[in-house]
Amino acid sequence: MSFISYLINGISLGSVYAIIALGYTMVYGIAKMLNFAHGDVIMVGGYAAFSMMMYYGGNPVTAVLVAIVVCTVLGIVIETVAYRPLLEAASPLAVLITAIGVSYFLQNAVLLIFGSTPKSFQSVVNLPNLKLADGALTISGTTLVTIASCIVIMIVLTTFINKSKPGQAMLAVSEDKGAAQLMGINVNGTIALTFAIGSGLAAIAGVLLCSAYPSLTPYTGSMPGIKAFVAAVFGGIGSIPGAMVGGILLGVIEILGKAYISSQLADAIVFAVLIIVLLVKPTGLFGKHIQEKV
């Protein structure tokens, strides 16, 4: 039963990575840029929910909704102020450096507001634990909600992109920005919408992550953000199904590595697996090789 318990915990952690990775993969697939400030948006979402529950007496549902709104607005502001002026004329390196600068700005802004002392995060999930096999296997309510949230988000997001008009605009912009603009699509608005959706998902991931691991600091989103980026690359950067599969596999590998090999080497194992996968399939599990015309 211990293996099954580790496996379920790995799927739960991987579901959080998958939700975060969706933000990376959507922004890269449409804007062709890597938003390395995405991990810190997770942290901002955690602090927004924490503030609502601790200082304003909000219930968990209100706290989650406020976190989503705050992060969605933050994502739009980051895209408009920091990235949009650079996307046309600046080099990819300049955009990358800007993303790192935004990341440090968010960390230090939260550090000035809330301080460096870790905050004890109250879980937003009040479901009772599920006991199976006569109590030999216990699954926490947070784990159940996290896995269910990941599945629902994937279904809704896939349906939105494939069936809705804004989703079709995203697909068009991801294929060819110039052609999409000639067809009357608002490219800047579509990219801003992508940042808004990705940041809203980051808020959900931040709340779920802090509910499972209830310690919140200005650096909470750094390592999960990096691992979620690894998950996106693992599954194939730009692929939504790849982000989900990559995130879940990464979570399972991390938890099993901690349980059966070494908790200190778990992160090294995760990145070693990524290197092996990229050596075998450089585009990731679901990535497609795109030939560029010269």
Side-chain angles (χ1 to χ4, degrees):
M1 285 296 177
S2 60
F3 174 78
I4 297 177
S5 179
Y6 293 142
L7 184 62
I8 293 172
N9 289 335
I11 294 173
S12 175
L13 178 61
S15 296
V16 175
Y17 290 157
I19 296 171
I20 303 170
L22 286 172
Y24 278 114
T25 205
M26 286 181 66
V27 168
Y28 181 82
I30 293 171
K32 297 297 183 289
M33 62 162 289
L34 296 174
N35 178 23
F36 278 115
H38 191 63
D40 297 288
V41 177
I42 303 166
M43 173 267 297
V44 171
Y47 271 101
F50 170 81
S51 299
M52 281 301 300
M53 289 189 292
M54 294 299 295
Y55 302 135
Y56 299 101
N59 61 45
V61 175
T62 304
V64 173
L65 292 177
V66 168
I68 293 173
V69 171
V70 169
C71 289
T72 299
V73 173
L74 178 62
I76 295 173
V77 170
I78 290 173
E79 188 276 332
T80 304
V81 176
Y83 297 144
R84 186 178 297 180
L86 302 175
L87 287 179
E88 295 297 331
S91 66
L93 181 60
V95 178
L96 180 62
I97 293 172
T98 301
I100 296 173
V102 172
S103 173
Y104 281 112
F105 172 80
L106 292 176
Q107 288 180 10
N108 284 277
V110 172
L111 188 64
L112 288 173
I113 296 171
F114 293 96
S116 60
T117 305
K119 309 296 183 184
S120 180
F121 191 91
Q122 179 184 348
S123 176
V124 299
V125 180
N126 295 321
L127 291 179
N129 295 339
L130 177 64
K131 294 186 178 181
L132 303 174
D134 295 330
L137 177 62
T138 301
I139 305 174
S140 70
T142 302
T143 297
L144 293 173
V145 170
T146 301
I147 296 174
S149 298
C150 180
I151 295 172
V152 171
I153 286 171
M154 280 299 305
I155 294 173
V156 172
L157 188 60
T158 302
T159 304
F160 171 79
I161 289 176
N162 293 328
K163 302 296 182 181
S164 71
K165 192 172 181 179
Q168 293 295 306
M170 289 180 179
L171 292 176
V173 173
S174 69
E175 288 292 331
D176 192 320
K177 291 181 184 178
Q181 195 163 15
L182 290 174
M183 295 299 293
I185 295 174
N186 185 344
V187 174
N188 288 335
T190 301
I191 294 175
L193 177 62
T194 304
F195 269 84
I197 294 173
S199 299
L201 295 178
I204 297 173
V207 171
L208 293 173
L209 179 67
C210 292
S211 295
Y213 304 92
S215 178
L216 181 60
T217 73
Y219 311 104
T220 292
S222 298
M223 185 54 73
I226 293 174
K227 289 180 180 178
F229 171 69
V230 170
V233 176
F234 193 5
I237 190 78
S239 168
I240 290 177
M244 181 177 181
V245 174
I248 291 175
L249 287 177
L250 202 73
V252 171
I253 291 170
E254 180 177 340
I255 295 298
L256 293 181
K258 287 180 178 179
Y260 292 107
I261 300 177
S262 170
S263 59
Q264 295 178 341
L265 295 177
D267 291 344
I269 294 169
V270 166
F271 291 109
V273 170
L274 172 69
I275 293 171
I276 294 171
V277 169
L278 292 182
L279 287 174
V280 176
K281 197 173 189 299
T283 56
L285 298 177
F286 288 80
K288 295 180 181 179
H289 179 69
I290 300 175
Q291 293 183 345
E292 296 185 1
K293 295 181 181 181
V294 179

